[in-house]
Amino acid sequence: MRTMALVISLAFTSVIYSQVDIIPQPADIKMGTGTFMLPINAGIIATTNDNAKFKRSIDFLTAYLETYYQSWVGAKQAVPPSPHPISLGIDGSQNPLPGSYTLEVSKKGIDIKGHDEEGVFYVIQTFMQLLPPHISNAKIELPFLNIK
C-alpha cells in the first residue's frame, strides 16, 4: 500500500512540475509541443518604428541575460542576429487592457507584445521567469507556449 501511495504521489508531483509556474498567474497559458532553443546570438528587436520607446526594455533584458547567462552575447555584440530573435512590440488589438500582454514562444522565436510600455515591462518579467535557472550544455531551451 505504501509503495502504491509513493508511486501515485510521484506521478502527481511530476504533473505539477511540468506546468509553467509564473507569478502572478496569467489569465491564459496554452502549452505547445516542442521546445525552442534560444541561440547564443539571438537579437532583441523592436517591431515598431519607434525603437527608442523600447531602448530601456531591450537594455534591461540584454543586461539580465548577460548577467545571469554568461555565455549569452546579447544584442550588443557585433555578431549578426540569428533568424530567431526576441521581438518586442505594442499590440492593442490582442491586448485590450492597459498593462496586458501576450508572450509566444514558437519555432520562429519569442514574440513579446504589450498593450503599452507597461505591458511590455510585465511580459519581460514573465519571460524571465520562463528562463532556466542555469544553462545546460550552453543552451537555453524554452517550451512552446502562448501566454496572455
Side-chain angles (χ1 to χ4, degrees):
M1 186 65 170
R2 240 185 209 174
T3 306
M4 181 63 106
L6 179 62
V7 168
I8 291 172
S9 71
L10 285 174
F12 183 70
T13 303
S14 68
V15 168
I16 289 174
Y17 284 109
S18 69
Q19 301 297 318
V20 175
D21 237 356
I22 298 172
I23 299 172
Q25 183 68 37
D28 186 38
I29 300 177
K30 290 185 178 133
M31 298 299 295
T33 54
T35 58
F36 175 72
M37 300 297 278
L38 186 64
I40 295 294
N41 64 337
I44 302 172
I45 61 169
T47 58
T48 64
N49 293 334
D50 189 6
N51 288 339
K53 182 183 282 189
F54 294 106
K55 182 174 178 4
R56 285 188 348 192
S57 295
I58 290 171
D59 288 348
F60 174 76
L61 184 53
T62 300
Y64 179 85
L65 291 168
E66 288 174 345
T67 300
Y68 295 103
Y69 301 91
Q70 280 79 27
S71 66
W72 172 265
V73 236
K76 293 180 182 174
Q77 183 173 7
V79 172
S82 76
H84 304 289
I86 300 170
S87 63
L88 303 175
I90 299 288
D91 186 353
S93 64
Q94 283 187 0
N95 307 293
L97 300 173
S100 64
Y101 63 83
T102 56
L103 168 63
E104 182 179 11
V105 178
S106 69
K107 63 182 176 184
K108 295 178 183 175
I110 299 160
D111 191 29
I112 294 174
K113 290 197 169 107
H115 171 83
D116 47 20
E117 289 177 63
E118 180 182 16
V120 171
F121 172 78
Y122 291 147
V123 73
I124 288 173
Q125 301 302 310
T126 298
F127 173 68
M128 290 182 342
Q129 291 181 55
L130 291 175
L131 293 169
H134 65 280
I135 295 177
S136 167
N137 298 326
K139 297 177 184 175
I140 298 175
E141 188 173 9
L142 300 167
F144 290 161
L145 54 73
N146 191 314
I147 297 176
K148 292 183 182 229

